[in-house]
Amino acid sequence: MKQFAVLQLSGCSGCEVSLLNAEEWMDKYKLAYMPLVASVYDLPPVDVLLVSGSLGSDEDLYNLQHAVRKAKKVVAVGTCAISGGVAHLGDRDEIRRLFLTQNERFHLPRLLPKSRPIDSRVAVDCYLPGCPPTPELVIAALFETPGFKAASTVCQECGRRKAREMRPNHLVGFMKGEVQAEICLINQGYLCIGVSTRGGCHAICTRAGYPCVGCRGPSDAFIEKESQTWFTSIQRVFTSMTDVPPEEIEAELHSPQLAMFLFQFSDYTSDPLVESEKSLRPKEKVL
Amino acid sequence: MTTLVFPLSRIEGHARVTIEVHGGEVVSTRLEATELRGFQHLVHGVPAKQMPVIVPRVCGVCSTAHHVTAVKTLEDIYGVTPPPVAQKIRELLLLGQLIQNQATSLFFFTMPDRLGLASLFQLVADQEGPEKEREEIARHALTVRKTGTDLITAAGGQFIHPVKAVVGGVTSGIDPGTVEVMRAQIVCALPVACKLFDYYIEMSLALRERIGTWGDDEPAYYIASTGKSSPVYNGNIIHVLNYDGIVHDSFTAHQFRDHLNYEDTEYSYAGRTSYQGQVMRANSLARINMADSMGTTLADDYLKQFQQKFGRPAHAILLYDLCRGIELVYALERAIELLEEPLDLKETATTHTPRDGEGYGMVEAPRGPLIHHYSIENGLIMKVEFIIPTVHNMLAIERALMVAARRYVNTERVSLELERAVGRVVRAFDPCIACATH
């Protein structure tokens, strides 16, 4: 039986919880290391290493570098491992200073100056975006299911229908009460970016009535393009489907909630002098 | 002086236990949380309406609690009251989380200690060995756990970082087809859960026989917001019980600072709270000590047996785990009841107008009362506080570690049972380190 290990760096455990919901691995793989559920403290040689969470402390750095030496294949699971994730919001200069001075502790792992993606330090064979990736997606990354291809966009998987007659004037959002079933969220005045977000999650959020925030990152059409291409494309969608003023869309698009996920394949905040060759993740490696 | 450092596993998050021993005497016991992301700072400047999406990312195990608390905090600031059907769906969401969490804690975190295993998955991996008959324990445990995650999905959209709770209510009801499937699934899972729990109780009694104790049973204060009967997780009042289990103090989230004392910890990235300087405990034992009755048949049976055998209030820490079993059964039964009520109503959210201000929100998470406090200026978050249930238990954990360490350390030797005892003690409290450090 093949062996796999799950290494959690500075993350929330969501990716691990997602894995626990996918029982299929038990028939094909032995779980060799996963401190959340197994009291094993030394990572043995494994076929696949799943890494979640970002590099937040010097202990994360040590654990990551030590672990990848034991693995034949390394998979970056979730937004945090791919681009720093939610902790990246703390990398804004004004926050970081406050953060590093207020949280000094001695004899504990030292916090790194910024929350870094794992491929800033080690080679990664496969990137699995999602916050967290669904159990089905985690299995696909683990098994390398031949012929598995995630749907191209969330919009494609959504199932809500476009209502040509509904053209909202403003991004009203949840101020107006409950969400109508079956009708596209853009027509109802929500900023849904599912049209350019990588599919594969079966559009669980939009089906439940919540606009897509892009946690799987840009679809293949946008993944290697500049951010302006993406902004322009969203504006075009809203102009054709709604009467919301472009300035309103523009203001909403420049938001922490979207920034967390949108730029996870091109690390726009990386230091150009050091990281320029690594600043794009090739779309062939993204599931 | 000798310093013993124990890594921890089968808990959420990164932490270790440090015990200092000098001349056969235990000098100190510390729980050191070793991770930090810094949510209280990193949400500064974020548009307030994005908090229900961002703060669930504090923790993938407790994300449901953070999601609902964030929404309640904004509702407090905007002066919004959601309609009754939304409150019911939020309660279902929290019950789903309780099912998932207690099943994970009982069967994946602490059952291995009772079976002498490193992991419950060893029961599956060892195809030819003596564990083959017990493989179904692992599979049934996963089934019960998944019932919880499926319920969160039905009521919340997705089971990690759910989305359906919004300011004013929930995005939509739950359609009758989904309700029926979910109800049937829980009805099937209930006897499986009871059978697993009965086995768990048996194994716990055997553990008690082997090690000769149920752990630190000195009295403590208890903190819980579920109420005295028919516990509600989507509540609003926090109660503190005294050593005799009597409600001593009650307050809303807004008043927590007048009743609880919060401090940062020098040697840990997690803080700690206390009640008038006293050791305080949150989580299952607190809620069970508070409960006159659970309000559902099987859970009430288990509660009565528990109270007859262990008294009320019960203080021994290994009883926390048994209390989680009672709550698992309660949550399954209560979810079946709620799923029999109409949940497909049209008006699931009231309209609202955002405004600036300051406010508080609270839910009873599986680990205890969770409080969020936000202040909003120009629609942006200026200052936040997260009072995480695990921090209510820090003093209690360290005291229990001291009691355990003293059993296994003397002038002649340190027994290696201490290694196992440290794990059992910490797991009894089911701490969530990602939450506690946030």
Side-chain angles (χ1 to χ4, degrees):
Chain A
M1 250 200 195
K2 286 195 174 184
Q3 299 212 89
F4 78 108
V6 181
L7 177 69
Q8 184 187 344
L9 304 174
S10 288
C12 78
S13 298
C15 295
E16 284 74 15
V17 173
S18 191
L19 173 69
L20 287 178
N21 262 55
E23 294 173 43
E24 300 94 303
W25 61 262
M26 293 200 294
D27 301 316
K28 282 177 72 170
Y29 274 84
K30 177 161 176 280
L31 178 59
Y33 174 93
M34 183 171 166
L36 181 70
V37 292
S39 298
V40 174
Y41 300 103
D42 285 312
L43 207 156
V46 290
D47 297 284
V48 184
L49 175 69
L50 302 178
V51 184
S52 70
S54 65
L55 288 168
S57 73
D58 56 6
E59 190 167 280
D60 289 337
L61 207 46
Y62 173 79
N63 287 339
L64 177 66
Q65 291 176 317
H66 186 69
V68 297
R69 278 183 233 140
K70 309 273 185 79
K72 297 196 188 127
K73 174 176 154 183
V74 176
V75 181
V77 179
T79 310
C80 294
I82 294 175
S83 67
V86 69
H88 209 32
L89 288 175
D91 290 341
R92 291 171 283 160
D93 286 332
E94 64 276 18
I95 312 281
R96 204 74 200 173
R97 215 158 293 146
L98 178 68
F99 185 179
L100 287 176
T101 52
Q102 284 212 3
N103 287 291
E104 265 208 328
R105 298 280 191 285
F106 306 106
H107 308 300
L108 287 177
R110 303 293 297 207
L111 300 177
L112 298 179
K114 286 195 177 214
S115 176
R116 306 297 295 139
I118 66 169
D119 69 357
S120 64
R121 288 293 178 153
V122 301
V124 170
D125 301 299
C126 173
Y127 296 88
L128 180 60
C131 185
T134 59
E136 181 193 355
L137 288 167
V138 177
I139 291 299
L142 193 60
F143 288 178
E144 292 171 302
T145 316
F148 177 90
K149 190 151 172 40
S152 69
T153 63
V154 170
C155 188
Q156 247 193 4
E157 297 186 295
C158 176
R160 287 177 180 263
R161 65 172 180 84
K162 312 278 187 294
R164 295 194 189 287
E165 69 283 7
M166 284 176 74
R167 296 185 64 89
N169 293 322
H170 287 288
L171 289 176
V172 177
F174 293 103
M175 292 188 285
K176 66 173 186 31
E178 65 275 340
V179 179
Q180 280 177 274
E182 292 170 15
I183 295 178
C184 175
L185 295 175
I186 295 180
N187 289 125
Q188 297 187 54
Y190 294 98
L191 180 67
C192 179
I193 59 168
V195 68
S196 62
T197 301
R198 189 169 208 82
C201 55
H202 299 297
I204 28 183
C205 298
T206 58
R207 282 174 190 273
Y210 199 88
C212 175
V213 299
C215 82
R216 290 255 299 145
S219 63
D220 275 347
F222 293 95
I223 195 174
E224 283 166 358
K225 304 231 167 66
E226 287 180 356
S227 60
Q228 195 49 53
T229 319
W230 175 76
F231 284 126
T232 312
S233 147
I234 292 283
Q235 286 286 11
R236 214 177 298 134
V237 168
F238 273 82
T239 312
S240 87
M241 288 179 67
T242 72
D243 293 325
V244 179
E247 313 82 68
E248 208 180 306
I249 310 275
E250 188 73 11
E252 287 291 316
L253 288 178
H254 287 91
S255 86
Q257 176 181 281
L258 298 186
M260 235 153 73
F261 302 123
L262 239 2
F263 307 125
Q264 59 186 295
F265 295 115
S266 38
D267 191 2
Y268 288 96
T269 60
S270 61
D271 177 352
L273 292 177
V274 175
E275 301 286 345
S276 53
E277 317 87 61
K278 291 193 197 155
S279 64
L280 293 179
R281 282 88 178 181
K283 64 182 177 202
E284 296 73 39
K285 286 190 176 179
V286 181
L287 199 61
Chain B
M1 182 152 80
T2 306
T3 308
L4 304 167
V5 180
F6 300 89
L8 291 170
S9 57
R10 289 185 272 122
I11 60 164
E12 193 294 324
H14 301 292
R16 62 190 180 219
V17 165
T18 303
I19 299 182
E20 287 171 326
V21 174
H22 187 66
E25 220 186 276
V26 180
V27 171
S28 75
T29 53
R30 300 197 293 261
L31 177 63
E32 301 175 350
T34 54
E35 61 174 315
L36 178 68
R37 285 157 302 147
F39 274 79
Q40 76 215 59
H41 302 301
L42 63 87
V43 294
H44 179 84
V46 160
K49 64 189 174 191
Q50 295 182 0
M51 290 298 267
V53 168
I54 293 180
V55 300
R57 272 82 190 169
V58 166
C59 178
V61 176
C62 316
S63 56
T64 304
H66 287 291
H67 175 63
V68 178
T69 308
V71 168
K72 285 174 82 165
T73 308
L74 292 177
E75 286 173 344
D76 187 46
I77 300 175
Y78 302 160
V80 181
T81 310
V85 66
Q87 301 284 33
K88 263 189 223 154
I89 292 176
R90 290 180 186 180
E91 182 72 14
L92 270 170
L93 197 46
L94 294 169
L95 290 171
Q97 187 189 223
L98 192 65
I99 295 167
Q100 173 205 12
N101 195 84
Q102 306 308 49
T104 305
S105 179
L106 277 176
F107 308 134
F108 292 93
F109 290 175
T110 63
M111 179 89 98
D113 290 330
R114 283 141 182 81
L115 303 181
L117 298 171
S119 153
L120 202 71
F121 292 109
Q122 279 179 281
L123 294 178
V124 179
D126 191 8
Q127 292 295 305
E128 297 310 320
E131 317 295 358
K132 183 104 175 80
E133 295 119 40
R134 298 202 288 181
E135 181 181 320
E136 62 169 39
I137 296 175
R139 299 216 184 248
H140 284 167
L142 285 168
T143 302
V144 173
R145 196 190 148 274
K146 190 157 183 293
T147 309
T149 61
D150 286 346
L151 180 56
I152 299 174
T153 306
Q158 54 173 1
F159 68 96
I160 304 167
H161 310 321
V163 294
K164 277 185 73 159
V166 292
V167 175
V170 292
T171 55
S172 63
I174 312 178
D175 69 272
T178 308
V179 167
E180 193 35 53
V181 166
M182 196 65 242
R183 211 187 60 85
Q185 190 180 342
I186 300 179
V187 165
C188 282
L190 181 57
V192 176
C194 288
K195 190 157 163 245
L196 280 171
F197 182 36
D198 289 335
Y199 181 66
Y200 185 91
I201 296 171
E202 202 188 304
M203 293 292 111
S204 298
L205 292 169
L207 176 68
R208 160 64 180 84
E209 275 308 300
R210 185 174 76 75
I211 63 177
T213 176
W214 287 106
D216 175 7
D217 61 359
E218 288 294 306
Y221 280 71
Y222 291 93
I223 182 169
S225 68
T226 40
K228 289 185 128 277
S229 56
S230 305
V232 166
Y233 284 75
N234 184 22
N236 291 301
I237 312 277
I238 301 169
H239 304 281
V240 172
L241 310 182
N242 65 17
Y243 288 179
D244 300 315
I246 313 288
V247 174
H248 179 76
D249 202 356
S250 303
F251 51 91
T252 63
H254 309 72
Q255 305 160 320
F256 88 86
R257 223 170 275 101
D258 300 327
H259 299 259
L260 301 178
N261 184 45
Y262 174 88
E263 280 177 344
D264 281 336
T265 313
E266 269 189 338
Y267 50 76
S268 169
Y269 283 126
R272 58 196 51 220
T273 54
S274 61
Y275 183 75
Q276 296 177 351
Q278 304 297 319
V279 165
M280 177 171 64
R281 296 164 170 186
N283 205 316
S284 55
L285 187 58
R287 294 187 291 261
I288 293 295
N289 276 338
M290 190 163 178
D292 291 331
S293 73
M294 306 300 281
T296 62
T297 321
L298 295 172
D300 270 331
D301 273 341
Y302 281 115
L303 179 70
K304 207 175 327 143
Q305 283 173 45
F306 177 87
Q307 288 173 338
Q308 272 167 5
K309 190 168 164 70
F310 299 108
R312 190 182 171 197
H315 295 299
I317 57 158
L318 289 181
L319 299 178
Y320 258 104
D321 297 315
L322 300 184
C323 292
R324 279 186 199 105
I326 303 175
E327 293 186 318
L328 173 63
V329 172
Y330 163 74
L332 290 163
E333 292 185 292
R334 181 69 185 129
I336 293 171
E337 283 176 5
L338 281 173
L339 287 167
E340 275 155 9
E341 302 185 24
L343 297 169
D344 193 24
L345 306 184
K346 277 295 148 230
E347 268 136 53
T348 58
T350 57
T351 60
H352 74 271
T353 311
R355 63 185 182 206
D356 288 350
E358 210 182 310
Y360 295 76
M362 191 273 299
V363 301
E364 182 79 12
R367 294 169 173 81
L370 167 67
I371 300 172
H372 285 194
H373 167 213
Y374 307 156
S375 78
I376 303 176
E377 258 169 63
N378 300 317
L380 302 178
I381 296 288
M382 283 296 120
K383 204 170 89 81
V384 300
E385 267 182 299
F386 299 108
I387 303 298
I388 303 289
T390 295
V391 307
H392 299 315
N393 281 335
M394 287 303 176
L395 286 177
I397 294 175
E398 290 178 344
R399 188 182 85 179
L401 285 169
M402 179 66 78
V403 169
R406 290 197 173 125
R407 275 179 88 78
Y408 300 110
V409 173
N410 60 36
T411 49
E412 316 254 291
R413 63 173 59 86
V414 174
S415 163
L416 279 184
E417 182 67 30
L418 180 56
E419 211 174 66
R420 286 189 283 267
V422 162
R424 286 192 298 260
V425 167
V426 175
R427 283 175 209 122
F429 290 89
D430 193 18
C432 184
I433 306 294
C435 283
T437 56
H438 58 266

